[in-house]
């Protein structure tokens, strides 16, 4: 694997080559305004050595504290703008969305692996708008998502059963259930209880893209011409890796789509995102392609992020038992012991809603979001933002800014409840689902999945620290690098709250 950390002779040769290229391309041009401030770069290579490789959001935060809300670096001629405040991000990515809604070309993840046709990576244009229309038509509002409430509830009840039976396999259960929910909604596919081929495919594809798109992970993203290097060339292992990942992706995109088309041909297809879009239509090849990738985009955009959030919930409940007790007291008072909570209870459970918000804030699932790309030169706050610049919102700092959130490292749902005349702190969903025309189109579906998992789990389980050899084990709060950040694997004790709770869990999940 050729990474930015492996400084080999090939890397040096490439850097020399690009340096010569840049020298030849130098054109003296006076900028209309100065670039935003940032770390000083080197001649020719710019800030290539400053670009963070591990947990870039922490370095971006340091830059923000030193240089202000807008930081500029230049890497081999490519301008990168890092945003460290909600106000500035909204002004640029929301209010000026006509300029800031494009996506950069990602040589590794987008071009070589093939994710360029999925919604998060699509350039702004006609195909992007078609995908968005597909999403809006099927899951574009809370009312539209309500159609899938029963699916969410059924799959979450199955999740409770799995956890009760094998609590030590929590992470696997969370991932299996998130995939089951999305595949039923996207393709009407009901997964097998274990060893499901689509779940396995999807998990591999999602893991691959998180690695492929992590900032600084592959030198080809810094030096795009490396994509032309043959796979046999020394140091070009990334080409062979990309080929493997591409095969997995192509199978995951095509196989569920074929499953729906076959079921529709037989007249037995259940309602789903895909069947809804294809029903009664004589589709062209282009329209069929758009539906196929739209449905896959729904899966890829929703499953891994949901896994991270729900796993974070269990970590938080392990570490903050007082929060868990308050949440359970609210559920007991409103729902009672005789049934499981449902979506119908949501408006009556304000503390649970605040708890879900705090989960989204405390572990920022996409800490640096997805980079935007500028389509035209812009002047913002007196700074020059050139066409083609990458714009990276530091979402992690926005949700951990001590000026916005009191004691941000503390898990405290009450920050989102009006109390004693004090206004709630900033709604985290304002920033954690993206910005402008690139805001996550599955926001309502993701929010519903996290909420129902939270309320049902807390209704029947007590979550606590594991005791080993008489010693209580406190999990480490460590969020791993990647485009989607997950909590580091941890141990926790998950036990039934009562015999009544077991009865509720054991009820037929297909009620």
């Amino acid at each position: 694997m050729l990474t930015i950390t492996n400084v080999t002779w090939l890397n040096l040769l490439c850097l020399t080559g690009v340096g010569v290229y840049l020298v030849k391309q130098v054109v003296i041009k006076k900028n209309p305004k100065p670039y935003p401030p940032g770390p000083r770069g080197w001649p020719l290579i710019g800030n290539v050595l400053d670009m963070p490789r591990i947990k870039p959001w922490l370095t971006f935060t340091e830059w923000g504290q030193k240089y202000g809300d807008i930081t500029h670096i230049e890497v081999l001629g490519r301008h990168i703008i890092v945003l460290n405040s909600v106000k500035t991000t909204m002004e640029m990515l929301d209010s000026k969305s006509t300029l800031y809604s494009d996506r950069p070309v990602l040589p590794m993840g987008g071009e070589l692996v093939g994710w360029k046709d999925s919604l998060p990576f699509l350039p702004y244009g006609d195909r992007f708008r078609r995908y968005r229309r597909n999403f809006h038509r099927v899951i574009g509002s809370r009312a539209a998502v309500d159609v899938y409430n029963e699916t969410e509830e059924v799959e979450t009840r199955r999740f409770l059963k799995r956890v009760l039976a094998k609590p030590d396999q929590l992470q696997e259960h969370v991932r299996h259930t998130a995939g089951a929910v999305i595949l039923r909604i996207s393709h009407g596919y009901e997964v097998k209880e274990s060893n499901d081929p689509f779940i396995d495919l999807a998990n591999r594809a999602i893991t691959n893209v998180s690695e492929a798109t992590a900032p600084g992970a592959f030198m080809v993203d810094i030096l795009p011409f490396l994509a032309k290097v043959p796979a046999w060339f020394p140091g070009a292992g990334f080409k062979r890796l990309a080929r493997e990942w591409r095969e997995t992706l192509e199978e995951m995109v095509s196989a569920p789509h074929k499953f729906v088309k076959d079921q529709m041909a037989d007249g037995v297809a259940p309602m789903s995102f895909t069947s809804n879009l294809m029903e009664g239509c004589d589709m062209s090849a282009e329209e069929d392609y758009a539906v196929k990738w739209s449905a896959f985009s729904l899966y890829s955009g929703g499953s891994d992020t949901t896994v991270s959030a729900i796993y974070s919930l269990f970590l938080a409940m392990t570490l903050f038992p007082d929060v868990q007790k308050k949440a359970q007291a609210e559920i007991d008072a409103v729902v009672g012991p005789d049934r499981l909570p449902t979506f119908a209870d949501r408006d009556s459970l304000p503390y649970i809603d605040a708890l879900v918000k705090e989960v989204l804030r405390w572990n920022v699932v996409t800490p640096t979001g997805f980079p935007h790309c500028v389509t035209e030169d812009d002047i913002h706050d007196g700074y020059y933002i050139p066409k083609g610049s990458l714009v990276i919102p530091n979402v992690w700092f926005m949700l951990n800014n001590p000026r916005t959130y009191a004691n941000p490292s503390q898990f405290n749902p009450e920050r989102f409840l009006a109390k004693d005349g004090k206004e709630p702190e900033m709604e985290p969903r304002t920033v954690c689902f993206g910005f402008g025309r690139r805001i996550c189109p599955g926001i309502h579906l993701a929010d519903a999945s996290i909420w129902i998992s939270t309320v049902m789990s807390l209704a029947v389980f007590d979550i606590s620290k594991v005791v080993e050899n008489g010693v209580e084990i406190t999990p480490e709060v460590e969020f791993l690098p990647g485009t989607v950040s997950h909590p580091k694997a941890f141990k926790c004790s998950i036990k039934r709250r009562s015999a009544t709770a077991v009865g509720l869990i054991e009820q037929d999940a297909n009620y």
Side-chain angles (χ1 to χ4, degrees), residues 43-263:
L44 300 180
I45 64 172
N47 298 99
V48 69
L49 302 179
D50 296 310
M51 191 64 187
R53 298 178 292 276
I54 304 298
K55 297 185 179 179
W57 54 90
L58 299 180
T59 301
F60 294 162
T61 296
E62 292 175 4
W63 290 353
Q65 292 168 346
K66 185 173 182 179
Y67 301 109
D69 292 347
I70 311 178
T71 303
H72 167 265
I73 62 171
E74 187 175 351
V75 177
L76 299 173
R78 187 66 180 265
H79 297 276
I80 299 175
I81 308 297
V82 178
L83 306 179
N84 271 296
S85 81
V86 175
K87 177 178 179 293
T88 300
T89 303
M90 291 297 184
E91 288 173 350
M92 297 175 74
L93 305 189
D94 272 29
S95 300
K96 297 181 179 180
S97 60
T98 53
L99 299 181
Y100 288 90
S101 294
D102 208 2
R103 285 287 196 236
V105 173
L106 299 180
M108 183 62 179
E111 300 295 320
L112 294 176
V113 180
W115 282 78
K116 63 182 180 180
D117 288 325
S118 68
L119 182 65
F121 298 88
L122 272 181
Y124 189 75
D126 290 341
R127 180 173 288 180
F128 170 82
R129 286 187 283 269
R130 177 180 292 178
Y131 284 24
R132 295 287 299 205
R133 284 196 298 271
N134 288 346
F135 273 85
H136 184 75
R137 173 178 159 186
V138 182
I139 58 168
S141 66
R142 178 168 284 186
V145 169
D146 285 349
V147 172
Y148 301 104
N149 281 354
E150 184 175 339
T151 294
E152 296 259 18
E153 290 171 359
V154 167
E155 292 296 344
T156 305
R157 292 168 74 104
R158 292 174 177 169
F159 167 73
L160 301 180
K161 279 189 174 184
R162 296 182 193 111
V163 173
L164 181 66
K166 298 179 179 179
D168 57 328
Q169 297 179 15
L170 172 65
Q171 194 170 25
E172 180 182 328
H173 299 324
V174 172
R175 188 169 291 281
H176 183 95
T177 302
V181 169
I182 296 291
L183 279 169
R184 283 189 69 173
I185 293 172
S186 63
H187 295 89
Y189 176 80
E190 190 163 344
V191 304
K192 298 177 181 178
E193 188 57 34
S194 60
N195 301 320
D196 186 89
F198 286 175
I199 290 288
D200 177 61
L201 260 179
N203 287 344
R204 285 189 283 132
I206 296 297
T207 299
N208 293 348
V209 74
S210 186
E211 292 183 33
T213 58
F218 291 91
M219 183 63 80
V220 68
D221 288 328
I222 306 298
L223 304 173
F225 67 83
L226 286 177
K228 305 294 184 182
V229 172
W232 53 261
F233 200 75
F238 71 94
K239 295 288 293 286
R240 294 185 290 275
L241 194 60
R243 185 169 59 243
E244 293 174 18
W245 290 355
R246 188 182 191 98
E247 290 172 359
T248 299
L249 172 65
E250 289 176 348
E251 187 176 356
M252 183 57 215
V253 173
S254 299
H257 188 68
K258 182 179 184 301
F259 168 82
V260 178
K261 293 176 75 171
D262 289 346
Q263 285 211 319

Side-chain angles (χ1 to χ4, degrees), residues 163-164 167 314 324 328 457-467 492-498 501-502 505:
V163 173
L164 181 66
F314 279 83
Q324 181 177 183
Q328 290 172 331
S457 297
L458 292 179
V460 296
F461 293 131
D462 280 323
I463 305 159
S464 60
K465 297 177 183 178
V466 167
V467 176
C492 66
S493 171
I494 306 174
K495 297 180 179 178
R496 65 183 190 180
R497 293 187 65 198
S498 66
V502 174
I505 295 171

Side-chain angles (χ1 to χ4, degrees), residues 326-368:
K326 289 179 182 178
Q328 290 172 331
E330 182 180 72
I331 295 169
D332 293 345
V334 173
V335 178
D338 300 326
R339 64 178 179 88
L340 285 170
T342 69
F343 283 105
D345 300 306
R346 185 163 190 175
D347 291 341
S348 303
L349 296 167
Y351 191 85
I352 298 297
D353 213 45
L355 173 56
V356 170
K357 292 178 184 180
E358 183 68 338
V359 167
L360 294 172
R361 187 204 66 81
W362 185 63
N363 170 30
V364 185
V365 173
T366 54
T368 56

